[in-house]
Amino acid sequence: MDAKRIAAEQAVNYIHDGMIVGLGTGSTAYWAIQKLGSRVQEGLRIKAIATSVQSEDLAKTLGIPFIPFSEINEIDITIDGADEVDPNFNLIKGGGGALLREKIVAAASKQLIIVVDKSKLVNRLGAFPLPIEIVTFGYDLTIRKLQLLKCEPKLRMIKNKIFVTDNGNYIVDCLFHEIENPEELHNKLNLIPGVVDNGLFVNMTRRVIVGSLNGDIQEHENKNG
Ligand code: 5RP
């Protein structure tokens, strides 16, 4: 079985009757949503909030019921993927362009469970270009400001068109190579006018589940997350 699928299905074991569940985005979260769909069809009673239109559409086809933010203050557990995970449980997310909704949902969650294969584990964040969501107004200027933080910024394109997020914004992928202090960089980036949010998730993760092709599963718990 696929390593991402093994990790994602293991995470679904943490979901119980009555929970509000945050649904992540991407090819690993896909397997968690599929498994959750099967469990709902078997009688599990949960309500969901999704981090992207894509995940919401998938979950709805599987019969997973939704609850609006207006009716809740907290999410019990969110299961999501990541692009990089460091030994301090800090993440780079947003490879799929859903980082803003992912962060809003993660911040509202009592527990964020990250599901990955081994390729996502790194000693230091930054080899994966950091996705940054920016508003469309003045975006050229915002990109030049990002460049001053010593990254190589690239406006995300898809089929020769600028990629637009579910929130109507653009994404800039910023290659830093090595991020020495994720928290400091996170705060600096979010102070630039035009930046909505960035894909650094600093100390938000409670548990990282790592799947392997041979079926092995490793779980790492962050006691402070
Ligand atoms: C989407 C994300 C994803 O979780 C991240 O890109 C990992 O994706 P995948 O599970 O497909 O490798 O942050 O915005």
Side-chain angles (χ1 to χ4, degrees), residues 80-210:
D80 204 347
D83 300 298
E84 284 186 347
V85 182
D86 81 5
N88 298 317
F89 297 88
N90 297 319
L91 316 172
I92 286 185
K93 286 188 49 55
L99 65 107
L100 177 57
R101 293 190 187 197
E102 289 172 339
K103 198 175 277 181
I104 292 170
V105 168
S109 301
K110 288 192 249 176
Q111 282 193 53
L112 174 62
I113 302 183
I114 292 298
V115 285
V116 290
D117 63 23
K118 277 193 179 136
S119 69
K120 307 291 183 69
L121 303 180
V122 296
N123 282 329
R124 191 173 270 196
L125 301 177
F128 189 93
L130 177 67
I132 301 173
E133 183 152 348
I134 64 171
V135 297
T136 59
F137 179 81
Y139 72 90
D140 292 300
L141 181 63
T142 309
I143 292 172
R144 288 201 295 277
K145 298 270 184 208
L146 289 171
Q147 210 158 14
L148 295 177
L149 292 179
K150 298 197 177 68
C151 70
E152 298 161 28
K154 236 190 208 164
L155 185 62
R156 192 178 295 187
M157 308 290 289
I158 223 152
K159 293 186 188 143
N160 287 329
K161 285 202 174 136
I162 302 178
F163 173 83
V164 178
T165 70
D166 285 348
N167 319 301
N169 298 314
Y170 294 161
I171 298 276
V172 186
D173 293 299
C174 284
L175 181 59
F176 284 93
H177 297 285
E178 287 209 336
I179 297 174
E180 263 179 46
N181 185 332
E183 187 170 7
E184 189 181 83
L185 179 63
H186 173 276
N187 296 342
K188 271 191 190 164
L189 288 167
N190 282 10
L191 281 175
I192 298 174
V195 169
V196 184
D197 211 335
N198 70 80
L200 285 168
F201 283 48
V202 178
N203 201 24
M204 298 182 92
T205 307
R206 170 71 62 86
R207 185 177 296 275
V208 176
I209 303 181
V210 188

